[in-house]
Amino acid sequence: MNALFLGYGKMGSALGESWYAGGLVERLVAVDPGLPRGMSAEVVGSAADLVDEAFDVIVLAVKPAVARQAIASLPTRALSRAVLISVMAGVSCAQLCDAAGKDVPVVRAMPNTPVMVNQGCTGLYSVTLNDAAKRRQVKSLFDAVGVAVWLEREGLLDAVTAISGSGPAYYHLFSEALCNAGIELGLPAELARVLAAHTARGAAELQCKSDVSFVALREAVTSANGTTAAAIAQFEAQDQLRRLVNAAAQAAHDRSIELSRQG
Ligand SMILES: NC(=O)c1ccc[n+]([C@@H]2O[C@H](COP(=O)([O-])OP(=O)(O)OC[C@H]3O[C@@H](n4cnc5c(N)ncnc54)[C@H](OP(=O)(O)O)[C@@H]3O)[C@@H](O)[C@H]2O)c1
């Protein structure tokens, strides 16, 4: 399979470089005016530099404001047999179909930054890609950098954005707070950082690998009247943490809808 990226910044290059390293794409071309260096992709500064080549997959990984212009700059042949995959937040399938033309199958993907370490989560949605083999192929691209799931409704992408798209930042914030608490308790800053980061990794591994529920995993660390119980009582007082997480996810969800409407 050959793949063309429009935009080869953080998300575009994370996907493209992993797919190439994993042998999922044999030919990798990217259009990015910043001409990022040291990549496996052949990076060109403008779509006009592309030879007259057709691509199997075209990934749109620019900021939404330049999406229409990026699609319009493509030579017609580039799109002739392609599936167009947009990783952009807040740009609807209808807007993408309008920009790409009705004959181009369009997929919306919402990955998250852990795709950079092949531990991502991606929600996928399409109304125009009906070929089962091509749908499997698209899913396998995102499964290669973590886990991917097809969604039944486009609206669910707003929920995926709120939970896993923005989610890494929530965990980083918690690690930052835990690290600062460690410093307050007298730990050297670097040690507090290492403890917070490795505790996050260890807990995440347990959550992903075991069939045990989150509740059971938590209870396994929490003996009656012990140290963990003392801390959990603080988090759970008046459901503080749960209310905060609900409010935060709702805010991200609402903002995602708002951004789609602005597009
Ligand atoms: N990062 C995330 O966690 C994440 C998660 C899910 C989805 N996304 C989506 O991914 C998209 C890209 O985000 P990002 O974080 O990767 O941004 P980024 O690092 O800024 O990458 C975008 C790249 O596109 C280039 N570019 C600008 N205009 C272009 C054009 N007309 N044609 C081709 N390339 C062009 C930019 O170059 P210049 O810098 O020179 O302008 C930049 O290198 C966004 O729409 C975002 O919603 C990001």
Side-chain angles (χ1 to χ4, degrees):
M1 180 191 333
N2 65 358
L4 171 69
F5 279 75
L6 299 179
Y8 213 56
K10 289 182 285 296
M11 188 48 73
S13 63
L15 292 170
E17 297 298 298
S18 278
W19 293 348
Y20 188 77
L24 283 98
V25 298
E26 291 99 44
R27 177 155 161 70
L28 180 62
V29 182
V31 177
D32 193 304
L35 290 174
R37 309 224 173 267
M39 304 282 181
S40 302
E42 177 192 322
V43 187
V44 298
S46 126
D49 297 339
L50 291 176
V51 286
D52 195 19
E53 188 176 357
F55 292 89
D56 301 305
V57 164
I58 297 181
V59 180
L60 196 51
V62 291
K63 300 289 187 202
V66 296
R68 187 172 278 277
Q69 172 220 328
I71 295 173
S73 69
L74 281 173
T76 315
R77 187 162 155 68
L79 274 165
S80 58
R81 65 158 195 256
V83 174
L84 180 70
I85 303 175
S86 162
V87 300
M88 297 182 302
V91 181
S92 69
C93 278
Q95 290 166 321
L96 292 164
C97 290
D98 187 45
K102 63 177 175 37
D103 295 332
V104 180
V106 162
V107 174
R108 280 187 69 188
M110 177 44 64
N112 61 6
T113 51
V115 296
M116 293 172 188
V117 290
N118 291 341
Q119 300 288 340
C121 295
T122 305
L124 297 166
Y125 178 76
S126 178
V127 264
T128 47
L129 183 66
N130 298 313
D131 180 306
K134 286 193 174 166
R135 285 177 75 92
R136 276 196 301 276
Q137 195 174 42
V138 168
K139 185 174 181 299
S140 71
L141 286 171
F142 288 92
D143 277 334
V145 290
V147 293
V149 61
W150 280 106
L151 303 169
E152 284 178 12
R153 295 187 284 116
E154 187 167 12
L156 291 177
L157 279 167
D158 297 310
V160 170
T161 303
I163 302 304
S164 56
S166 303
Y170 315 157
Y171 286 95
H172 298 324
L173 177 64
F174 191 85
S175 291
E176 187 187 329
L178 195 59
C179 173
N180 287 339
I183 295 169
E184 284 288 312
L185 292 171
L187 291 172
E190 187 48 32
L191 176 57
R193 189 191 181 285
V194 168
L195 293 179
H198 283 256
T199 302
R201 174 152 78 186
E205 288 273 319
L206 288 172
Q207 290 175 17
C208 291
K209 286 191 173 153
S210 77
D211 295 331
V212 182
S213 71
F214 296 155
V215 174
L217 284 170
R218 171 168 55 77
E219 287 176 350
V221 199
T222 316
S223 44
N225 293 322
T227 58
T228 313
I232 297 286
Q234 293 292 321
F235 287 130
E236 295 283 45
Q238 285 107 44
D239 279 342
Q240 283 188 97
L241 180 65
R242 293 170 199 272
R243 283 172 195 268
L244 200 55
V245 171
N246 268 332
Q250 189 67 53
H253 180 263
D254 294 351
R255 182 68 183 137
S256 176
I257 293 173
E258 208 173 276
L259 288 172
S260 314
R261 288 189 182 140
Q262 282 169 12

